[in-house]
Amino acid sequence: NALAAIRATASRQVDAPLAGVVLTAPPLVAVGQPVSLTAQVAAGSQVIYRWDFGDGTYATGPAVEHAYQVSG
């Protein structure tokens, strides 16, 4: 059963300082199994969540789900 390591990157364009950025994700997930990822910001304005899964797919929003098709 192959596993894929989850790597998250965050970038931001700042209009106001952000504080308390928290990413919640399991450290490993089985290939083909959906994984739920969430991020939240305790303080800041105009936050845009954009997830880059590193496999050519993207999602937006503070909570997303993705299934990796290959290990890596």
Side-chain angles (χ1 to χ4, degrees):
N1 194 7
L3 299 177
I6 294 177
R7 182 185 77 207
T9 58
S11 61
R12 59 188 171 123
Q13 180 176 351
V14 178
D15 292 325
L18 298 178
V21 177
V22 177
L23 169 68
T24 304
L28 295 174
V29 61
V31 170
Q33 295 297 309
V35 60
S36 296
L37 306 166
T38 59
Q40 56 182 263
V41 176
S45 63
Q46 299 179 357
V47 176
I48 297 171
Y49 298 90
R50 183 173 186 270
W51 300 81
D52 178 343
F53 298 112
D55 60 1
T57 61
Y58 303 88
T60 58
V64 297
E65 187 172 275
H66 182 69
Y68 288 92
Q69 300 306 311
V70 296
S71 63

